[in-house]
Amino acid sequence: MSLFLSVALVFCVLGAVVIFVAQRISREMSDSAIQNLSESLDLIQSTIEMVLESEAEFQSLVAREVAKVEDPEHYIRSFEKNQIMVKTAFIPAGKTEGYSNTGETFTAGELDFSAGGMVRGMPVSQSYLNHMGTWAYTIQCPVERDGRGLGTLYVEYVYDLIDNSLPNGFYDRQATLYIMDTQSQRFVLKPKGLGMRSAGHLNLDDYYRANDIVDAGIRAEVARCLEQGENALFYHDIRGVDSLNYMWSVNDGTSYLVGYVPVEAIQQEGRSVNQSILIVVLVMLAAFLLCCTLYYINQRQQIRLRREREEEREVHNRQLAEALHAAQVASSSKTTFLSNMSHDIRTPMNAVLGFTTLLAKDADDPAKVREYTKKIMASGQHLLSLINDILDVSKIESGKVVLNLSEFTLGDLVSSVDAIIQPMAAARGQTLDVEVDGVRHEHLIGDETRINQILINLLSNAVKYTPEGGHIWFRILGQRQRSSQFQHLRVEVEDNGYGMTPEFLTTIFDAFTRAENSTTNKVQGTGLGMAITKNIVEMMGGTIDVTSQVGKGSLFRVELELRIPEGHTERQFWEQNGIRRILVAHASPDCLNNIQLMLEDVGVGMDGVTSAEEAVALSMGAPDGHQLALLDLDLPSPGALSAARQLRQLLGDAVPILFLAHFDAHGTEEALALGNTGVLTKPFFVTAMREKLLEMQGSGHGEAAEAANSLAGLHFLAAEDNEINAEILTELLAVEEATCEVVENGQLAVERFAAAPEGEFHAILMDVQMPVMNGYDATRAIRALARPDAGTIPIIAMTANAFAEDERAALDAGMNAHVAKPLDVQLLKKVIHDLTHQSERN
C-alpha cells in the first residue's frame, strides 16, 4: 500500500508538472515564433546562397577553360545549354559585342549590375524576364590568361535550380514564400509547395495591396530594411488571419524572401507538444507495472545492444581504415607505375639500339646485316607488345584478356628472347647459358607473344637483380607427356644474384611490388612484370613458383602444357634435299641425346660423337653416309675448325657443314671461310638448321614468298596526312617497283578516285585519323560512288589504331583489310598482293 501511495503521489506531482509545463510551452511557443521562423528563413537563405556559390564556382571553371582554348568563340558556340544555364556568352576585351552559344550577337547593355550584388567576387545582375518569359539573372566573370584580361564571360541562369533546392514547404505548407528582386521589387519566384499563389502578387506593392498592408509605419520600416539590406519581421492580419510577416535578406540584400506564416500554425506545434506529453503520461501510467516487471530484462538487452553497437562501430572503423589504406595504396601504385614503367620498355629498346650500332659497323657484311635486322625486328615487335600490355594491364588483371592461339616454333621463340637478353647480360659482364633438353616437338600451338613476354620478364629481372659478372641459366626442359596431344614444358630461370627475403616472396606476384634493400634499390622497374607473368601463366593453365635465398640467387619455374599441331611434319624438306643422316659432334652427351630426339621427329638419322677425332674417323669409315655435318664450335682440341677442314676433304664441297656456337662467339669468320658452311646459335633447333640451309642454298621460302608477293607495276592511291609516314610508304613501294599517289585527307581521296579513270589505281591505302574527312567516312563515300569499280577496288586501312575493335570498325566501314602501324612490310606486301590479285581475278 505504501508503495502504491508513493507511486500515486509521484504521478500526481507528475500530472501537475505536466499541466504547468504544457501552459508554459504554449506561452513560450508563441514567444518563440520569431526565433523559429528566423531559423527556417536562415536555412532557406543559406540554401539559395549555396546555389549561387556553386553556380559562380562552376562559371569560374568555365572561364578558366575559355582562357585555355585557342578559339574561345568556337568553344562558347559549342557549349550546350541546359535547364539552368540557358545562355553562355563571351565579350572579348576592348569590345562591346560578343557571341553566345545561342548563335546571336551578345551585348551586355541590357543587363543591370547597379544593385552591387556579388557572388565569389563576381557581379550578379538584376533579375529580368528572358526570351523564354522566365525570370533569370546573369553572373559576370572575367577571363584572364597569365594575368592578362581576355574578356568577360556572361552566363544566364534561371531560378529553376533554386526552386528545386528549396524545401517542399514549412510549417505544414501553411507558410507562404516569394523571392523578390530588391532593385525592381518584382517577385521572381514562387517556390513549389510554399502556400497558395495569388494572382496579384507580382511585386511588393501588389503584395501590400492584396494583403491590405496599409500601415505607413510598417511600410516605412520595410523600405528602410530593404535599403539597408536588413531583415524585417512584423505581425499583420492576412485576410483575417493573424500572421507573422517577414522580409528576409539574401546575398547581401540583392534579393529578399517575402511571405508570412499564420500564428496559428506556429502555435499548432505547441499544442502538438502538449498532446504528445499527455499521451506520454498516459502511456507511462499504463506501462508502469510492465516496466517494473521487464526492468531487469531490459537492462540485459541494453547491455547487449550497447556491446553490439560498439562491435559494429569497431568493424565500421576498421573498414574505413582499410578503405583508406586501399585508396592510399592504389594512389601510390599508380604513381609508382607511371614513374617506373620504362623498366620493361628499355629491355627491347636496348637490343634495338645495340644492334643498330652493330648494323652501322658491319654494314658491308650481308650475313650480319640480315642477322642484325632480324633481331632488331624481333626486339621491335616485343617493344610493341609491351606497349599494348601497358595499355591492356587492367584487362589482364580482370581476366578479360583472350589468348591468341597460333602455331609457332620453339626455336624462333628462344632465338628472339636470346637476341634481347644476351646483349643486356653481356653489358653487365654476366654469363647467360641457354639450355634446351628433352624437347621432342618444336612446333607448338600457343600465344607466342604472351609466352615471349613471360620469358622476357623472368630473364630481364634475372639480369637486373644479378650483380656484374654473375651467372644466369635459362632452361627449357621437356617433361614426361601426360597426353600425346600436348608437350609438357618446364621453363627455369636461375641466377646467382641478390636473392629475395621470405617476406618479399609472399608478395612478389602482387602488382607494383619490387624488392627493396640497399643492394637492389638502384634497380628500376614498374613492379608490374611478375603480376602480369603470373596472370598469363594461369590463363594458359600453367603454374609458376619461385625459390630464393638472400645472397645466393633465385630460381623461377614455370610449367606449361602446349598443344602439338596435328599432322605437322617437316619430313618433306629433308627428303627433297636428300638428307637422310647427319654427323653430329658435340662435347656433351646430353646435348647429343636432345639433338637426336628432335631429328627423330622429322625422320632424320644421326651419328653422334663427342670429339673432333671421332668425327673425322667416323666420316672416313663412311664418306658417303652423311649428307650434313654439325660441329660444336667448342669441341676440345684439335677443335671444330680442324675437324671441318678434314671433313671438307672427305665429304666434298657439296656437303654443308654447320657450326653450333654460343651467341657472339669468336672464330665464326674463319669457320665461314671454309665454304658451304653456316653458323647456328645455341641451343640447337631443327627449324633453325632448316632455315640456315635454305639461306645457304639461296632458294628458301623467303625468296619464293618475295617473288610471289611482288608489287612491281602496281599503282596505289594513299590517304595519309603525316608527311613522314607518306614518305616512308612511298619509298617502301618504290623499293617494290610500285608507284603511289598521296593525298592529305579522306575528302581528297574520294575526289581523286572519283576523277580517275577506271583501272588507274590497283588499291587504296587509307589512314583512319585525318582532317576534313576520316578514313571510315572516306571509305563509305568511295563505296557509294556510282561507278563499277567503287565497290570492288581493295581499300586497306593503315592506322595506329591497332586493337581488335579498330579492325572491326575498318571492316564495317567497307575496307577489305587492316594493317596496324608501325608497318610490317612483309605483311603489307602480302595483304596488298592477295587483295589486288583477288580483285584482278574477280
Side-chain angles (χ1 to χ4, degrees):
M1 180 60 66
S2 61
L3 178 60
F4 174 80
L5 293 176
S6 299
V7 172
L9 179 61
V10 169
F11 275 94
C12 289
V13 173
L14 180 61
V17 171
V18 169
I19 294 173
F20 174 78
V21 170
Q23 293 176 349
R24 184 176 179 179
I25 287 176
S26 296
R27 292 192 301 270
E28 289 181 352
M29 288 299 292
S30 297
D31 295 337
S32 64
I34 295 177
Q35 179 181 351
N36 294 342
L37 181 59
S38 299
E39 292 175 354
S40 299
L41 293 173
D42 284 339
L43 178 61
I44 296 176
Q45 171 197 348
S46 299
T47 301
I48 294 175
E49 291 177 351
M50 181 182 68
V51 171
L52 294 174
E53 286 281 340
S54 64
E55 291 173 344
E57 182 178 1
F58 180 75
Q59 187 166 339
S60 298
L61 294 175
V62 174
R64 287 197 289 272
E65 291 299 319
V66 173
K68 293 179 182 179
V69 300
E70 294 297 329
D71 187 1
E73 181 176 356
H74 179 268
Y75 181 86
I76 291 297
R77 293 191 183 279
S78 63
F79 201 91
E80 296 184 3
K81 68 178 183 178
N82 52 48
Q83 295 180 348
I84 308 303
M85 301 172 58
V86 298
K87 180 186 290 186
T88 303
F90 178 76
I91 298 180
K95 296 184 178 181
T96 60
E97 293 184 347
Y99 34 82
S100 68
N101 63 340
T102 59
E104 73 271 19
T105 301
F106 176 80
T107 62
E110 297 178 359
L111 300 175
D112 186 1
F113 294 90
S114 62
M118 305 287 286
V119 179
R120 296 178 64 90
M122 294 184 285
V124 181
S125 74
Q126 176 182 332
S127 300
Y128 55 89
L129 284 171
N130 63 12
H131 66 284
M132 297 185 297
T134 302
W135 283 101
Y137 56 93
T138 295
I139 298 179
Q140 175 182 325
C141 178
V143 178
E144 298 179 348
R145 180 194 296 163
D146 299 330
R148 180 173 59 90
L150 300 180
T152 306
L153 179 67
Y154 297 83
V155 178
E156 179 182 286
Y157 303 89
V158 295
Y159 280 89
D160 290 356
L161 181 58
I162 295 178
D163 192 7
N164 295 333
S165 301
L166 294 180
N168 191 14
F170 60 103
Y171 285 104
D172 199 25
R173 296 194 178 186
Q174 297 185 55
T176 299
L177 173 67
Y178 296 89
I179 297 180
M180 181 184 74
D181 179 76
T182 305
Q183 186 74 10
S184 63
Q185 296 187 354
R186 295 294 300 270
F187 287 179
V188 296
L189 179 63
K190 170 63 171 64
K192 299 185 294 292
L194 292 175
M196 299 292 292
R197 173 178 287 278
S198 173
H201 294 176
L202 302 179
N203 53 39
L204 187 58
D205 289 336
D206 293 336
Y207 179 83
Y208 285 157
R209 182 169 52 255
N211 296 308
D212 199 25
I213 302 176
V214 297
D215 188 286
I218 292 178
R219 289 198 174 194
E221 179 62 17
V222 169
R224 186 191 66 78
C225 291
L226 294 179
E227 183 177 356
Q228 300 295 326
E230 299 176 353
N231 300 326
L233 289 170
F234 58 93
Y235 285 99
H236 184 76
D237 290 346
I238 303 297
R239 291 187 291 276
V241 178
D242 189 18
S243 303
L244 181 58
N245 293 259
Y246 55 88
M247 304 283 178
W248 212 256
S249 173
V250 177
N251 194 30
D252 297 329
T254 58
S255 300
Y256 266 80
L257 303 176
V258 179
Y260 61 87
V261 181
V263 174
E264 182 181 0
I266 300 174
Q267 293 177 341
Q268 178 65 32
E269 296 180 6
R271 287 194 295 271
S272 298
V273 171
N274 291 335
Q275 292 173 359
S276 299
I277 292 175
L278 181 60
I279 293 173
V280 169
V281 171
L282 294 176
V283 171
M284 288 176 61
L285 288 171
F288 177 76
L289 293 177
L290 180 62
C291 289
C292 292
T293 305
L294 300 177
Y295 176 77
Y296 178 74
I297 299 175
N298 181 67
Q299 290 299 311
R300 293 283 300 263
Q301 290 177 341
Q302 292 298 323
I303 293 173
R304 179 177 56 83
L305 291 175
R306 185 165 53 252
R307 186 182 300 113
E308 291 178 354
R309 285 195 297 268
E310 291 175 354
E311 292 176 353
E312 290 177 358
R313 192 159 46 247
E314 291 178 359
V315 171
H316 183 63
N317 291 338
R318 185 166 59 253
Q319 290 174 343
L320 289 177
E322 291 174 353
L324 176 61
H325 177 70
Q328 292 172 341
V329 169
S331 177
S332 175
S333 297
K334 288 192 294 183
T335 302
T336 302
F337 173 69
L338 293 175
S339 62
N340 295 332
M341 75 178 182
S342 62
H343 156 65
D344 286 333
I345 294 179
R346 288 180 182 274
T347 301
M349 184 59 72
N350 178 71
V352 171
L353 297 178
F355 281 115
T356 302
T357 302
L358 295 175
L359 188 64
K361 179 181 177 182
D362 299 321
D364 296 331
D365 188 337
K368 288 190 174 182
V369 167
R370 284 191 295 269
E371 185 69 19
Y372 293 157
T373 53
K374 179 180 178 182
K375 293 175 179 178
I376 290 173
M377 179 63 71
S379 300
Q381 291 296 334
H382 177 63
L383 178 61
L384 185 61
S385 70
L386 283 179
I387 295 173
N388 289 334
D389 285 336
I390 293 172
L391 299 175
D392 209 28
V393 62
S394 62
K395 293 183 179 179
I396 292 177
E397 292 184 341
S398 63
K400 295 181 180 179
V401 171
V402 178
L403 296 176
N404 182 20
L405 301 181
S406 60
E407 185 176 333
F408 69 96
T409 62
L410 199 58
D412 291 341
L413 178 67
V414 173
S415 177
S416 63
V417 172
D418 190 53
I420 294 173
I421 300 301
Q422 281 285 7
M424 295 173 57
R428 294 172 57 86
Q430 298 167 343
T431 301
L432 173 60
D433 285 343
V434 183
E435 177 184 347
V436 177
D437 187 23
V439 178
R440 186 178 184 87
H441 304 282
E442 288 187 50
H443 291 268
L444 300 169
I445 294 177
D447 192 329
E448 182 179 9
T449 301
R450 298 298 184 185
I451 298 174
N452 184 284
Q453 186 176 0
I454 293 172
L455 301 181
I456 292 295
N457 283 342
L458 295 177
L459 287 167
S460 62
N461 278 344
V463 172
K464 288 184 298 181
Y465 290 99
T466 300
E468 294 186 3
H471 206 133
I472 300 169
W473 295 268
F474 171 34
R475 310 183 189 97
I476 297 182
L477 308 175
Q479 303 296 298
R480 186 174 63 86
Q481 292 181 225
R482 300 185 179 96
S483 168
S484 60
Q485 297 178 337
F486 289 88
Q487 171 74 66
H488 183 190
L489 294 180
R490 172 180 293 169
V491 178
E492 292 183 351
V493 176
E494 185 178 3
D495 63 72
N496 61 352
Y498 305 127
M500 293 171 282
T501 64
E503 294 77 14
F504 179 69
L505 286 177
T506 62
T507 62
I508 184 173
F509 295 115
D510 296 340
F512 311 111
T513 58
R514 186 164 58 88
E516 298 287 345
N517 58 52
S518 59
T519 305
T520 63
N521 278 343
K522 61 185 178 180
V523 179
Q524 299 298 315
T526 62
L528 188 62
M530 288 297 99
I532 292 180
T533 298
K534 185 174 186 295
N535 273 286
I536 296 173
V537 170
E538 292 179 347
M539 280 193 298
M540 293 180 176
T543 61
I544 181 172
D545 59 71
V546 56
T547 57
S548 182
Q549 189 172 353
V550 176
K552 293 188 178 180
S554 305
L555 170 62
F556 287 85
R557 183 178 289 112
V558 177
E559 303 276 350
L560 293 174
E561 293 271 357
L562 299 177
R563 179 177 289 277
I564 301 169
E566 296 182 4
H568 190 280
T569 180
E570 288 188 340
R571 294 174 181 265
Q572 184 178 2
F573 169 80
W574 304 101
E575 293 173 356
Q576 289 178 348
N577 286 271
I579 300 177
R580 299 177 301 278
R581 195 166 193 84
I582 68 174
L583 171 65
V584 181
H586 201 292
S588 170
D590 292 337
C591 290
L592 287 175
N593 292 334
N594 188 55
I595 294 172
Q596 186 171 8
L597 277 175
M598 294 185 179
L599 290 174
E600 287 177 357
D601 193 45
V602 296
V604 176
M606 182 194 95
D607 290 326
V609 296
T610 58
S611 67
E613 295 91 339
E614 290 178 292
V616 173
L618 186 61
S619 181
M620 291 178 64
D624 299 327
H626 302 114
Q627 295 79 42
L628 174 65
L630 177 64
L631 307 178
D632 180 11
L633 198 60
D634 296 328
L635 283 173
S637 182
L641 292 177
S642 175
R645 295 187 184 96
Q646 297 181 59
L647 289 175
R648 174 59 69 214
Q649 296 177 0
L650 294 171
L651 300 176
D653 295 335
V655 175
I657 300 177
L658 300 180
F659 296 91
L660 195 61
H662 288 288
F663 175 84
D664 205 18
H666 298 289
T668 57
E669 295 83 358
E670 186 176 354
L672 294 173
L674 295 176
N676 200 14
T677 57
V679 177
L680 296 179
T681 302
K682 293 182 179 180
F684 171 82
F685 287 100
V686 175
T687 53
M689 183 169 68
R690 174 178 174 273
E691 292 300 322
K692 179 59 67 175
L693 290 175
L694 287 172
E695 179 184 330
M696 293 167 60
Q697 294 171 1
S699 60
H701 292 305
E703 294 183 5
E706 287 291 324
N709 294 339
S710 174
L711 305 179
L714 299 182
H715 185 51
F716 300 96
L717 173 62
E720 174 61 70
D721 63 319
N722 186 286
E723 294 182 2
I724 295 178
N725 289 343
E727 182 179 354
I728 292 174
L729 177 63
T730 303
E731 292 298 326
L732 289 175
L733 293 176
V735 170
E736 301 301 323
E737 299 181 7
T739 56
C740 177
E741 181 177 336
V742 180
V743 294
E744 297 177 355
N745 56 64
Q747 180 64 44
L748 294 177
V750 175
E751 295 173 356
R752 180 65 184 89
F753 178 76
E758 185 174 348
E760 178 178 352
F761 298 111
H762 294 87
I764 300 176
L765 309 179
M766 185 73 72
D767 192 10
V768 170
Q769 295 184 358
M770 295 181 292
V772 184
M773 179 183 286
N774 62 44
Y776 298 141
D777 293 340
T779 299
R780 295 186 184 97
I782 291 174
R783 295 302 189 202
L785 292 175
R787 50 185 291 172
D789 59 342
T792 59
I793 186 170
I795 302 179
I796 303 167
M798 293 193 309
T799 172
N801 301 340
F803 294 106
E805 52 267 29
D806 301 313
E807 183 174 357
R808 286 196 298 270
L811 297 178
D812 291 343
M815 300 185 189
N816 300 91
H818 177 280
V819 178
K821 296 178 182 177
L823 293 178
D824 183 333
V825 179
Q826 296 303 322
L827 176 61
L828 178 62
K829 287 172 57 179
K830 184 178 185 304
V831 169
I832 293 176
H833 173 269
D834 292 346
L835 291 177
T836 53
H837 284 68
Q838 179 182 1
S839 177
E840 291 174 0
R841 290 193 298 270
N842 294 338

